[in-house]
Amino acid sequence: MKMKDIDFTKTALVLIDLQKGIVPIGGDEIVEKSVQLVNRFREQNGFISFVRVDFQDGKDALKPETDQKSSAPQERPADWAEFDSRLNVQEHDYIVTKRQWGAFFGTDLDLQLRRRGIDTIVLCGIATNIGVESTAREAFQYGYNQIFITDAMATFTKEEHEATLSYIFPKIGKLRTTQQFLMENES
């Protein structure tokens, strides 16, 4: 996969969990960088998929026994799953609602990408080592080329973020900053 001048007709921007209840984990900078990517994909008529995690009644949430309790609040505000308004989600954008960490399992994301001839995913969002990494591992197993926008993702600690960027993502894709990606793919 050559980075310069990617084919936007075969590339999707996939944004993970940039919703009101999760954005505070990563901060405003992640949303601001993501908006730059969304704008570039809109300029190029690229495919954009906004992914959120949400639950119907809580019975559809995963509840395995683990050593570490989930930090997710049990009671969520009504707007918890709404996308951050700065992203300017539009009617023709593709929305994926997932019930677990990864955006492929139990959704039709792979089907929608393949029907459009998409073979490359530009991935960003929150949390680097949870939703983003789970989606990236799934995409790798489906055979997608991937570009990880390292400064448009975040997680709970710098150590967790850096571990995924250092040990997982280089094995399954290419790492770029927002600025590097935008400069390599100018309109």
Side-chain angles (χ1 to χ4, degrees), residues 15 17-19 22-24 26-38 84-88 125-126 151-153:
L15 302 106
D17 299 343
L18 294 179
Q19 59 197 69
I22 295 179
V23 163
D28 288 335
E29 183 180 346
I30 302 307
V31 175
E32 292 164 9
K33 301 278 186 187
S34 298
V35 166
Q36 293 176 46
L37 296 166
V38 166
D84 189 294
S85 61
R86 293 171 287 179
L87 295 165
N88 191 25
I126 302 170
D151 61 348
M153 59 179 74

mmCIF file with all atom_site columns, all heavy atoms in Angstrom, residues 15 17-19 22-24 26-38 84-88 125-126 151-153:
data_model
loop_
_atom_site.group_PDB
_atom_site.id
_atom_site.type_symbol
_atom_site.label_atom_id
_atom_site.label_alt_id
_atom_site.label_comp_id
_atom_site.label_asym_id
_atom_site.label_entity_id
_atom_site.label_seq_id
_atom_site.pdbx_PDB_ins_code
_atom_site.Cartn_x
_atom_site.Cartn_y
_atom_site.Cartn_z
_atom_site.occupancy
_atom_site.B_iso_or_equiv
_atom_site.pdbx_formal_charge
_atom_site.auth_seq_id
_atom_site.auth_comp_id
_atom_site.auth_asym_id
_atom_site.auth_atom_id
_atom_site.pdbx_PDB_model_num
ATOM 1   N N   . LEU A 1 15  ? -14.304 5.869  12.311 1.00 0.00 ? 15  LEU A N   1
ATOM 2   C CA  . LEU A 1 15  ? -14.096 6.593  13.563 1.00 0.00 ? 15  LEU A CA  1
ATOM 3   C C   . LEU A 1 15  ? -14.780 5.834  14.691 1.00 0.00 ? 15  LEU A C   1
ATOM 4   O O   . LEU A 1 15  ? -15.990 5.606  14.641 1.00 0.00 ? 15  LEU A O   1
ATOM 5   C CB  . LEU A 1 15  ? -14.672 7.999  13.454 1.00 0.00 ? 15  LEU A CB  1
ATOM 6   C CG  . LEU A 1 15  ? -14.084 8.832  12.303 1.00 0.00 ? 15  LEU A CG  1
ATOM 7   C CD1 . LEU A 1 15  ? -15.086 8.953  11.182 1.00 0.00 ? 15  LEU A CD1 1
ATOM 8   C CD2 . LEU A 1 15  ? -13.644 10.176 12.784 1.00 0.00 ? 15  LEU A CD2 1
ATOM 9   N N   . ASP A 1 17  ? -16.156 5.287  18.401 1.00 0.00 ? 17  ASP A N   1
ATOM 10  C CA  . ASP A 1 17  ? -16.694 5.732  19.695 1.00 0.00 ? 17  ASP A CA  1
ATOM 11  C C   . ASP A 1 17  ? -16.452 7.203  20.033 1.00 0.00 ? 17  ASP A C   1
ATOM 12  O O   . ASP A 1 17  ? -16.215 7.545  21.192 1.00 0.00 ? 17  ASP A O   1
ATOM 13  C CB  . ASP A 1 17  ? -16.162 4.844  20.829 1.00 0.00 ? 17  ASP A CB  1
ATOM 14  C CG  . ASP A 1 17  ? -16.581 3.389  20.666 1.00 0.00 ? 17  ASP A CG  1
ATOM 15  O OD1 . ASP A 1 17  ? -17.521 3.117  19.891 1.00 0.00 ? 17  ASP A OD1 1
ATOM 16  O OD2 . ASP A 1 17  ? -15.969 2.521  21.312 1.00 0.00 ? 17  ASP A OD2 1
ATOM 17  N N   . LEU A 1 18  ? -16.557 8.066  19.037 1.00 0.00 ? 18  LEU A N   1
ATOM 18  C CA  . LEU A 1 18  ? -16.423 9.502  19.310 1.00 0.00 ? 18  LEU A CA  1
ATOM 19  C C   . LEU A 1 18  ? -17.800 10.054 19.664 1.00 0.00 ? 18  LEU A C   1
ATOM 20  O O   . LEU A 1 18  ? -18.373 10.888 18.975 1.00 0.00 ? 18  LEU A O   1
ATOM 21  C CB  . LEU A 1 18  ? -15.803 10.218 18.105 1.00 0.00 ? 18  LEU A CB  1
ATOM 22  C CG  . LEU A 1 18  ? -14.361 9.812  17.807 1.00 0.00 ? 18  LEU A CG  1
ATOM 23  C CD1 . LEU A 1 18  ? -13.835 10.539 16.585 1.00 0.00 ? 18  LEU A CD1 1
ATOM 24  C CD2 . LEU A 1 18  ? -13.461 10.050 19.013 1.00 0.00 ? 18  LEU A CD2 1
ATOM 25  N N   . GLN A 1 19  ? -18.288 9.556  20.779 1.00 0.00 ? 19  GLN A N   1
ATOM 26  C CA  . GLN A 1 19  ? -19.631 9.878  21.248 1.00 0.00 ? 19  GLN A CA  1
ATOM 27  C C   . GLN A 1 19  ? -19.538 10.609 22.576 1.00 0.00 ? 19  GLN A C   1
ATOM 28  O O   . GLN A 1 19  ? -18.518 10.554 23.265 1.00 0.00 ? 19  GLN A O   1
ATOM 29  C CB  . GLN A 1 19  ? -20.450 8.597  21.359 1.00 0.00 ? 19  GLN A CB  1
ATOM 30  C CG  . GLN A 1 19  ? -19.848 7.573  22.294 1.00 0.00 ? 19  GLN A CG  1
ATOM 31  C CD  . GLN A 1 19  ? -20.416 6.171  22.101 1.00 0.00 ? 19  GLN A CD  1
ATOM 32  O OE1 . GLN A 1 19  ? -20.172 5.532  21.090 1.00 0.00 ? 19  GLN A OE1 1
ATOM 33  N NE2 . GLN A 1 19  ? -21.178 5.722  23.098 1.00 0.00 ? 19  GLN A NE2 1
ATOM 34  N N   . ILE A 1 22  ? -18.046 9.047  25.705 1.00 0.00 ? 22  ILE A N   1
ATOM 35  C CA  . ILE A 1 22  ? -16.688 8.488  25.666 1.00 0.00 ? 22  ILE A CA  1
ATOM 36  C C   . ILE A 1 22  ? -15.630 9.534  25.343 1.00 0.00 ? 22  ILE A C   1
ATOM 37  O O   . ILE A 1 22  ? -14.494 9.428  25.796 1.00 0.00 ? 22  ILE A O   1
ATOM 38  C CB  . ILE A 1 22  ? -16.640 7.305  24.673 1.00 0.00 ? 22  ILE A CB  1
ATOM 39  C CG1 . ILE A 1 22  ? -17.543 6.176  25.204 1.00 0.00 ? 22  ILE A CG1 1
ATOM 40  C CG2 . ILE A 1 22  ? -15.217 6.814  24.448 1.00 0.00 ? 22  ILE A CG2 1
ATOM 41  C CD1 . ILE A 1 22  ? -17.629 4.960  24.324 1.00 0.00 ? 22  ILE A CD1 1
ATOM 42  N N   . VAL A 1 23  ? -15.979 10.563 24.606 1.00 0.00 ? 23  VAL A N   1
ATOM 43  C CA  . VAL A 1 23  ? -15.006 11.594 24.214 1.00 0.00 ? 23  VAL A CA  1
ATOM 44  C C   . VAL A 1 23  ? -14.234 12.169 25.401 1.00 0.00 ? 23  VAL A C   1
ATOM 45  O O   . VAL A 1 23  ? -13.033 12.419 25.273 1.00 0.00 ? 23  VAL A O   1
ATOM 46  C CB  . VAL A 1 23  ? -15.681 12.705 23.379 1.00 0.00 ? 23  VAL A CB  1
ATOM 47  C CG1 . VAL A 1 23  ? -14.824 13.962 23.314 1.00 0.00 ? 23  VAL A CG1 1
ATOM 48  C CG2 . VAL A 1 23  ? -15.980 12.191 21.977 1.00 0.00 ? 23  VAL A CG2 1
ATOM 49  N N   . PRO A 1 24  ? -14.831 12.353 26.584 1.00 0.00 ? 24  PRO A N   1
ATOM 50  C CA  . PRO A 1 24  ? -14.043 12.893 27.701 1.00 0.00 ? 24  PRO A CA  1
ATOM 51  C C   . PRO A 1 24  ? -12.799 12.062 28.047 1.00 0.00 ? 24  PRO A C   1
ATOM 52  O O   . PRO A 1 24  ? -11.835 12.601 28.581 1.00 0.00 ? 24  PRO A O   1
ATOM 53  C CB  . PRO A 1 24  ? -15.043 12.908 28.866 1.00 0.00 ? 24  PRO A CB  1
ATOM 54  C CG  . PRO A 1 24  ? -16.373 13.085 28.189 1.00 0.00 ? 24  PRO A CG  1
ATOM 55  C CD  . PRO A 1 24  ? -16.267 12.271 26.918 1.00 0.00 ? 24  PRO A CD  1
ATOM 56  N N   . GLY A 1 26  ? -10.670 10.819 25.891 1.00 0.00 ? 26  GLY A N   1
ATOM 57  C CA  . GLY A 1 26  ? -9.597  11.205 24.991 1.00 0.00 ? 26  GLY A CA  1
ATOM 58  C C   . GLY A 1 26  ? -9.370  12.686 24.873 1.00 0.00 ? 26  GLY A C   1
ATOM 59  O O   . GLY A 1 26  ? -8.286  13.136 24.509 1.00 0.00 ? 26  GLY A O   1
ATOM 60  N N   . GLY A 1 27  ? -10.380 13.464 25.132 1.00 0.00 ? 27  GLY A N   1
ATOM 61  C CA  . GLY A 1 27  ? -10.256 14.907 25.079 1.00 0.00 ? 27  GLY A CA  1
ATOM 62  C C   . GLY A 1 27  ? -10.611 15.511 23.730 1.00 0.00 ? 27  GLY A C   1
ATOM 63  O O   . GLY A 1 27  ? -10.777 14.822 22.725 1.00 0.00 ? 27  GLY A O   1
ATOM 64  N N   . ASP A 1 28  ? -10.714 16.827 23.749 1.00 0.00 ? 28  ASP A N   1
ATOM 65  C CA  . ASP A 1 28  ? -11.125 17.582 22.570 1.00 0.00 ? 28  ASP A CA  1
ATOM 66  C C   . ASP A 1 28  ? -10.165 17.457 21.396 1.00 0.00 ? 28  ASP A C   1
ATOM 67  O O   . ASP A 1 28  ? -10.576 17.517 20.245 1.00 0.00 ? 28  ASP A O   1
ATOM 68  C CB  . ASP A 1 28  ? -11.294 19.060 22.925 1.00 0.00 ? 28  ASP A CB  1
ATOM 69  C CG  . ASP A 1 28  ? -12.519 19.310 23.782 1.00 0.00 ? 28  ASP A CG  1
ATOM 70  O OD1 . ASP A 1 28  ? -13.472 18.500 23.720 1.00 0.00 ? 28  ASP A OD1 1
ATOM 71  O OD2 . ASP A 1 28  ? -12.534 20.307 24.528 1.00 0.00 ? 28  ASP A OD2 1
ATOM 72  N N   . GLU A 1 29  ? -8.877  17.300 21.668 1.00 0.00 ? 29  GLU A N   1
ATOM 73  C CA  . GLU A 1 29  ? -7.894  17.225 20.585 1.00 0.00 ? 29  GLU A CA  1
ATOM 74  C C   . GLU A 1 29  ? -8.180  16.053 19.646 1.00 0.00 ? 29  GLU A C   1
ATOM 75  O O   . GLU A 1 29  ? -8.001  16.170 18.439 1.00 0.00 ? 29  GLU A O   1
ATOM 76  C CB  . GLU A 1 29  ? -6.478  17.110 21.146 1.00 0.00 ? 29  GLU A CB  1
ATOM 77  C CG  . GLU A 1 29  ? -5.429  17.097 20.054 1.00 0.00 ? 29  GLU A CG  1
ATOM 78  C CD  . GLU A 1 29  ? -4.020  16.974 20.591 1.00 0.00 ? 29  GLU A CD  1
ATOM 79  O OE1 . GLU A 1 29  ? -3.794  17.159 21.796 1.00 0.00 ? 29  GLU A OE1 1
ATOM 80  O OE2 . GLU A 1 29  ? -3.126  16.682 19.769 1.00 0.00 ? 29  GLU A OE2 1
ATOM 81  N N   . ILE A 1 30  ? -8.643  14.940 20.190 1.00 0.00 ? 30  ILE A N   1
ATOM 82  C CA  . ILE A 1 30  ? -8.944  13.767 19.365 1.00 0.00 ? 30  ILE A CA  1
ATOM 83  C C   . ILE A 1 30  ? -10.091 14.092 18.416 1.00 0.00 ? 30  ILE A C   1
ATOM 84  O O   . ILE A 1 30  ? -10.039 13.755 17.229 1.00 0.00 ? 30  ILE A O   1
ATOM 85  C CB  . ILE A 1 30  ? -9.293  12.545 20.250 1.00 0.00 ? 30  ILE A CB  1
ATOM 86  C CG1 . ILE A 1 30  ? -8.140  12.230 21.214 1.00 0.00 ? 30  ILE A CG1 1
ATOM 87  C CG2 . ILE A 1 30  ? -9.666  11.344 19.396 1.00 0.00 ? 30  ILE A CG2 1
ATOM 88  C CD1 . ILE A 1 30  ? -6.787  12.073 20.575 1.00 0.00 ? 30  ILE A CD1 1
ATOM 89  N N   . VAL A 1 31  ? -11.110 14.767 18.912 1.00 0.00 ? 31  VAL A N   1
ATOM 90  C CA  . VAL A 1 31  ? -12.236 15.152 18.060 1.00 0.00 ? 31  VAL A CA  1
ATOM 91  C C   . VAL A 1 31  ? -11.775 16.151 17.012 1.00 0.00 ? 31  VAL A C   1
ATOM 92  O O   . VAL A 1 31  ? -12.133 16.034 15.827 1.00 0.00 ? 31  VAL A O   1
ATOM 93  C CB  . VAL A 1 31  ? -13.403 15.715 18.894 1.00 0.00 ? 31  VAL A CB  1
ATOM 94  C CG1 . VAL A 1 31  ? -14.526 16.223 17.989 1.00 0.00 ? 31  VAL A CG1 1
ATOM 95  C CG2 . VAL A 1 31  ? -13.927 14.660 19.858 1.00 0.00 ? 31  VAL A CG2 1
ATOM 96  N N   . GLU A 1 32  ? -10.968 17.127 17.390 1.00 0.00 ? 32  GLU A N   1
ATOM 97  C CA  . GLU A 1 32  ? -10.492 18.138 16.444 1.00 0.00 ? 32  GLU A CA  1
ATOM 98  C C   . GLU A 1 32  ? -9.676  17.513 15.313 1.00 0.00 ? 32  GLU A C   1
ATOM 99  O O   . GLU A 1 32  ? -9.841  17.873 14.145 1.00 0.00 ? 32  GLU A O   1
ATOM 100 C CB  . GLU A 1 32  ? -9.687  19.207 17.183 1.00 0.00 ? 32  GLU A CB  1
ATOM 101 C CG  . GLU A 1 32  ? -10.560 20.055 18.104 1.00 0.00 ? 32  GLU A CG  1
ATOM 102 C CD  . GLU A 1 32  ? -9.776  20.855 19.134 1.00 0.00 ? 32  GLU A CD  1
ATOM 103 O OE1 . GLU A 1 32  ? -8.526  20.908 19.050 1.00 0.00 ? 32  GLU A OE1 1
ATOM 104 O OE2 . GLU A 1 32  ? -10.426 21.415 20.040 1.00 0.00 ? 32  GLU A OE2 1
ATOM 105 N N   . LYS A 1 33  ? -8.803  16.569 15.637 1.00 0.00 ? 33  LYS A N   1
ATOM 106 C CA  . LYS A 1 33  ? -8.013  15.867 14.605 1.00 0.00 ? 33  LYS A CA  1
ATOM 107 C C   . LYS A 1 33  ? -8.948  15.037 13.723 1.00 0.00 ? 33  LYS A C   1
ATOM 108 O O   . LYS A 1 33  ? -8.777  14.986 12.498 1.00 0.00 ? 33  LYS A O   1
ATOM 109 C CB  . LYS A 1 33  ? -6.960  14.963 15.238 1.00 0.00 ? 33  LYS A CB  1
ATOM 110 C CG  . LYS A 1 33  ? -5.970  15.671 16.122 1.00 0.00 ? 33  LYS A CG  1
ATOM 111 C CD  . LYS A 1 33  ? -4.889  16.293 15.325 1.00 0.00 ? 33  LYS A CD  1
ATOM 112 C CE  . LYS A 1 33  ? -3.828  16.871 16.269 1.00 0.00 ? 33  LYS A CE  1
ATOM 113 N NZ  . LYS A 1 33  ? -2.825  17.630 15.582 1.00 0.00 ? 33  LYS A NZ  1
ATOM 114 N N   . SER A 1 34  ? -9.921  14.397 14.325 1.00 0.00 ? 34  SER A N   1
ATOM 115 C CA  . SER A 1 34  ? -10.872 13.585 13.568 1.00 0.00 ? 34  SER A CA  1
ATOM 116 C C   . SER A 1 34  ? -11.695 14.436 12.619 1.00 0.00 ? 34  SER A C   1
ATOM 117 O O   . SER A 1 34  ? -11.988 14.015 11.490 1.00 0.00 ? 34  SER A O   1
ATOM 118 C CB  . SER A 1 34  ? -11.786 12.815 14.524 1.00 0.00 ? 34  SER A CB  1
ATOM 119 O OG  . SER A 1 34  ? -11.030 11.920 15.318 1.00 0.00 ? 34  SER A OG  1
ATOM 120 N N   . VAL A 1 35  ? -12.060 15.633 13.038 1.00 0.00 ? 35  VAL A N   1
ATOM 121 C CA  . VAL A 1 35  ? -12.807 16.551 12.163 1.00 0.00 ? 35  VAL A CA  1
ATOM 122 C C   . VAL A 1 35  ? -11.986 16.876 10.916 1.00 0.00 ? 35  VAL A C   1
ATOM 123 O O   . VAL A 1 35  ? -12.524 16.935 9.802  1.00 0.00 ? 35  VAL A O   1
ATOM 124 C CB  . VAL A 1 35  ? -13.204 17.835 12.925 1.00 0.00 ? 35  VAL A CB  1
ATOM 125 C CG1 . VAL A 1 35  ? -13.678 18.930 11.974 1.00 0.00 ? 35  VAL A CG1 1
ATOM 126 C CG2 . VAL A 1 35  ? -14.284 17.511 13.969 1.00 0.00 ? 35  VAL A CG2 1
ATOM 127 N N   . GLN A 1 36  ? -10.682 17.056 11.069 1.00 0.00 ? 36  GLN A N   1
ATOM 128 C CA  . GLN A 1 36  ? -9.821  17.314 9.908  1.00 0.00 ? 36  GLN A CA  1
ATOM 129 C C   . GLN A 1 36  ? -9.874  16.145 8.922  1.00 0.00 ? 36  GLN A C   1
ATOM 130 O O   . GLN A 1 36  ? -9.925  16.345 7.706  1.00 0.00 ? 36  GLN A O   1
ATOM 131 C CB  . GLN A 1 36  ? -8.380  17.554 10.353 1.00 0.00 ? 36  GLN A CB  1
ATOM 132 C CG  . GLN A 1 36  ? -8.175  18.827 11.145 1.00 0.00 ? 36  GLN A CG  1
ATOM 133 C CD  . GLN A 1 36  ? -6.740  18.948 11.625 1.00 0.00 ? 36  GLN A CD  1
ATOM 134 O OE1 . GLN A 1 36  ? -5.799  18.731 10.864 1.00 0.00 ? 36  GLN A OE1 1
ATOM 135 N NE2 . GLN A 1 36  ? -6.568  19.292 12.890 1.00 0.00 ? 36  GLN A NE2 1
ATOM 136 N N   . LEU A 1 37  ? -9.858  14.929 9.462  1.00 0.00 ? 37  LEU A N   1
ATOM 137 C CA  . LEU A 1 37  ? -9.927  13.741 8.608  1.00 0.00 ? 37  LEU A CA  1
ATOM 138 C C   . LEU A 1 37  ? -11.296 13.641 7.924  1.00 0.00 ? 37  LEU A C   1
ATOM 139 O O   . LEU A 1 37  ? -11.380 13.351 6.723  1.00 0.00 ? 37  LEU A O   1
ATOM 140 C CB  . LEU A 1 37  ? -9.652  12.488 9.430  1.00 0.00 ? 37  LEU A CB  1
ATOM 141 C CG  . LEU A 1 37  ? -8.254  12.397 10.044 1.00 0.00 ? 37  LEU A CG  1
ATOM 142 C CD1 . LEU A 1 37  ? -8.207  11.314 11.111 1.00 0.00 ? 37  LEU A CD1 1
ATOM 143 C CD2 . LEU A 1 37  ? -7.203  12.168 8.964  1.00 0.00 ? 37  LEU A CD2 1
ATOM 144 N N   . VAL A 1 38  ? -12.351 13.877 8.687  1.00 0.00 ? 38  VAL A N   1
ATOM 145 C CA  . VAL A 1 38  ? -13.706 13.851 8.119  1.00 0.00 ? 38  VAL A CA  1
ATOM 146 C C   . VAL A 1 38  ? -13.797 14.854 6.978  1.00 0.00 ? 38  VAL A C   1
ATOM 147 O O   . VAL A 1 38  ? -14.315 14.544 5.897  1.00 0.00 ? 38  VAL A O   1
ATOM 148 C CB  . VAL A 1 38  ? -14.769 14.146 9.211  1.00 0.00 ? 38  VAL A CB  1
ATOM 149 C CG1 . VAL A 1 38  ? -16.122 14.447 8.589  1.00 0.00 ? 38  VAL A CG1 1
ATOM 150 C CG2 . VAL A 1 38  ? -14.863 12.990 10.193 1.00 0.00 ? 38  VAL A CG2 1
ATOM 151 N N   . ASP A 1 84  ? -20.320 13.307 18.936 1.00 0.00 ? 84  ASP A N   1
ATOM 152 C CA  . ASP A 1 84  ? -19.919 14.677 19.225 1.00 0.00 ? 84  ASP A CA  1
ATOM 153 C C   . ASP A 1 84  ? -20.357 15.552 18.054 1.00 0.00 ? 84  ASP A C   1
ATOM 154 O O   . ASP A 1 84  ? -20.072 15.245 16.891 1.00 0.00 ? 84  ASP A O   1
ATOM 155 C CB  . ASP A 1 84  ? -18.397 14.735 19.410 1.00 0.00 ? 84  ASP A CB  1
ATOM 156 C CG  . ASP A 1 84  ? -17.934 16.073 19.920 1.00 0.00 ? 84  ASP A CG  1
ATOM 157 O OD1 . ASP A 1 84  ? -18.067 17.074 19.180 1.00 0.00 ? 84  ASP A OD1 1
ATOM 158 O OD2 . ASP A 1 84  ? -17.411 16.132 21.045 1.00 0.00 ? 84  ASP A OD2 1
ATOM 159 N N   . SER A 1 85  ? -21.044 16.624 18.331 1.00 0.00 ? 85  SER A N   1
ATOM 160 C CA  . SER A 1 85  ? -21.636 17.467 17.280 1.00 0.00 ? 85  SER A CA  1
ATOM 161 C C   . SER A 1 85  ? -20.585 18.097 16.363 1.00 0.00 ? 85  SER A C   1
ATOM 162 O O   . SER A 1 85  ? -20.875 18.395 15.204 1.00 0.00 ? 85  SER A O   1
ATOM 163 C CB  . SER A 1 85  ? -22.506 18.566 17.902 1.00 0.00 ? 85  SER A CB  1
ATOM 164 O OG  . SER A 1 85  ? -21.720 19.395 18.739 1.00 0.00 ? 85  SER A OG  1
ATOM 165 N N   . ARG A 1 86  ? -19.351 18.256 16.843 1.00 0.00 ? 86  ARG A N   1
ATOM 166 C CA  . ARG A 1 86  ? -18.299 18.850 16.005 1.00 0.00 ? 86  ARG A CA  1
ATOM 167 C C   . ARG A 1 86  ? -17.965 17.969 14.802 1.00 0.00 ? 86  ARG A C   1
ATOM 168 O O   . ARG A 1 86  ? -17.416 18.441 13.811 1.00 0.00 ? 86  ARG A O   1
ATOM 169 C CB  . ARG A 1 86  ? -17.043 19.109 16.832 1.00 0.00 ? 86  ARG A CB  1
ATOM 170 C CG  . ARG A 1 86  ? -17.246 20.184 17.898 1.00 0.00 ? 86  ARG A CG  1
ATOM 171 C CD  . ARG A 1 86  ? -16.083 20.258 18.833 1.00 0.00 ? 86  ARG A CD  1
ATOM 172 N NE  . ARG A 1 86  ? -16.108 19.091 19.715 1.00 0.00 ? 86  ARG A NE  1
ATOM 173 C CZ  . ARG A 1 86  ? -15.207 18.830 20.653 1.00 0.00 ? 86  ARG A CZ  1
ATOM 174 N NH1 . ARG A 1 86  ? -14.183 19.658 20.813 1.00 0.00 ? 86  ARG A NH1 1
ATOM 175 N NH2 . ARG A 1 86  ? -15.304 17.770 21.421 1.00 0.00 ? 86  ARG A NH2 1
ATOM 176 N N   . LEU A 1 87  ? -18.293 16.688 14.880 1.00 0.00 ? 87  LEU A N   1
ATOM 177 C CA  . LEU A 1 87  ? -18.006 15.767 13.775 1.00 0.00 ? 87  LEU A CA  1
ATOM 178 C C   . LEU A 1 87  ? -18.948 15.985 12.588 1.00 0.00 ? 87  LEU A C   1
ATOM 179 O O   . LEU A 1 87  ? -18.679 15.517 11.494 1.00 0.00 ? 87  LEU A O   1
ATOM 180 C CB  . LEU A 1 87  ? -18.110 14.324 14.252 1.00 0.00 ? 87  LEU A CB  1
ATOM 181 C CG  . LEU A 1 87  ? -17.063 13.936 15.290 1.00 0.00 ? 87  LEU A CG  1
ATOM 182 C CD1 . LEU A 1 87  ? -17.455 12.631 15.964 1.00 0.00 ? 87  LEU A CD1 1
ATOM 183 C CD2 . LEU A 1 87  ? -15.689 13.833 14.657 1.00 0.00 ? 87  LEU A CD2 1
ATOM 184 N N   . ASN A 1 88  ? -20.057 16.667 12.835 1.00 0.00 ? 88  ASN A N   1
ATOM 185 C CA  . ASN A 1 88  ? -21.008 17.001 11.776 1.00 0.00 ? 88  ASN A CA  1
ATOM 186 C C   . ASN A 1 88  ? -21.449 15.747 10.997 1.00 0.00 ? 88  ASN A C   1
ATOM 187 O O   . ASN A 1 88  ? -21.356 15.696 9.772  1.00 0.00 ? 88  ASN A O   1
ATOM 188 C CB  . ASN A 1 88  ? -20.414 18.052 10.839 1.00 0.00 ? 88  ASN A CB  1
ATOM 189 C CG  . ASN A 1 88  ? -21.447 18.623 9.897  1.00 0.00 ? 88  ASN A CG  1
ATOM 190 O OD1 . ASN A 1 88  ? -22.639 18.619 10.176 1.00 0.00 ? 88  ASN A OD1 1
ATOM 191 N ND2 . ASN A 1 88  ? -20.981 19.108 8.755  1.00 0.00 ? 88  ASN A ND2 1
ATOM 192 N N   . GLY A 1 125 ? -9.973  7.057  16.839 1.00 0.00 ? 125 GLY A N   1
ATOM 193 C CA  . GLY A 1 125 ? -11.033 7.062  17.836 1.00 0.00 ? 125 GLY A CA  1
ATOM 194 C C   . GLY A 1 125 ? -10.560 6.756  19.240 1.00 0.00 ? 125 GLY A C   1
ATOM 195 O O   . GLY A 1 125 ? -9.386  6.866  19.570 1.00 0.00 ? 125 GLY A O   1
ATOM 196 N N   . ILE A 1 126 ? -11.512 6.308  20.054 1.00 0.00 ? 126 ILE A N   1
ATOM 197 C CA  . ILE A 1 126 ? -11.282 6.059  21.478 1.00 0.00 ? 126 ILE A CA  1
ATOM 198 C C   . ILE A 1 126 ? -11.902 4.704  21.818 1.00 0.00 ? 126 ILE A C   1
ATOM 199 O O   . ILE A 1 126 ? -13.010 4.414  21.382 1.00 0.00 ? 126 ILE A O   1
ATOM 200 C CB  . ILE A 1 126 ? -11.945 7.161  22.333 1.00 0.00 ? 126 ILE A CB  1
ATOM 201 C CG1 . ILE A 1 126 ? -11.397 8.543  21.932 1.00 0.00 ? 126 ILE A CG1 1
ATOM 202 C CG2 . ILE A 1 126 ? -11.745 6.904  23.809 1.00 0.00 ? 126 ILE A CG2 1
ATOM 203 C CD1 . ILE A 1 126 ? -12.144 9.713  22.531 1.00 0.00 ? 126 ILE A CD1 1
ATOM 204 N N   . ASP A 1 151 ? -2.394  10.377 16.373 1.00 0.00 ? 151 ASP A N   1
ATOM 205 C CA  . ASP A 1 151 ? -2.748  11.510 17.235 1.00 0.00 ? 151 ASP A CA  1
ATOM 206 C C   . ASP A 1 151 ? -4.247  11.804 17.208 1.00 0.00 ? 151 ASP A C   1
ATOM 207 O O   . ASP A 1 151 ? -4.703  12.779 17.786 1.00 0.00 ? 151 ASP A O   1
ATOM 208 C CB  . ASP A 1 151 ? -1.935  12.755 16.881 1.00 0.00 ? 151 ASP A CB  1
ATOM 209 C CG  . ASP A 1 151 ? -2.159  13.242 15.456 1.00 0.00 ? 151 ASP A CG  1
ATOM 210 O OD1 . ASP A 1 151 ? -2.775  12.510 14.641 1.00 0.00 ? 151 ASP A OD1 1
ATOM 211 O OD2 . ASP A 1 151 ? -1.703  14.358 15.152 1.00 0.00 ? 151 ASP A OD2 1
ATOM 212 N N   . ALA A 1 152 ? -5.017  10.942 16.550 1.00 0.00 ? 152 ALA A N   1
ATOM 213 C CA  . ALA A 1 152 ? -6.474  11.061 16.542 1.00 0.00 ? 152 ALA A CA  1
ATOM 214 C C   . ALA A 1 152 ? -7.084  9.870  17.281 1.00 0.00 ? 152 ALA A C   1
ATOM 215 O O   . ALA A 1 152 ? -8.173  9.407  16.962 1.00 0.00 ? 152 ALA A O   1
ATOM 216 C CB  . ALA A 1 152 ? -7.002  11.153 15.113 1.00 0.00 ? 152 ALA A CB  1
ATOM 217 N N   . MET A 1 153 ? -6.316  9.352  18.232 1.00 0.00 ? 153 MET A N   1
ATOM 218 C CA  . MET A 1 153 ? -6.814  8.296  19.111 1.00 0.00 ? 153 MET A CA  1
ATOM 219 C C   . MET A 1 153 ? -6.188  8.477  20.485 1.00 0.00 ? 153 MET A C   1
ATOM 220 O O   . MET A 1 153 ? -5.119  9.080  20.617 1.00 0.00 ? 153 MET A O   1
ATOM 221 C CB  . MET A 1 153 ? -6.543  6.904  18.537 1.00 0.00 ? 153 MET A CB  1
ATOM 222 C CG  . MET A 1 153 ? -5.095  6.559  18.289 1.00 0.00 ? 153 MET A CG  1
ATOM 223 S SD  . MET A 1 153 ? -4.827  4.892  17.635 1.00 0.00 ? 153 MET A SD  1
ATOM 224 C CE  . MET A 1 153 ? -5.373  5.036  15.953 1.00 0.00 ? 153 MET A CE  1
#
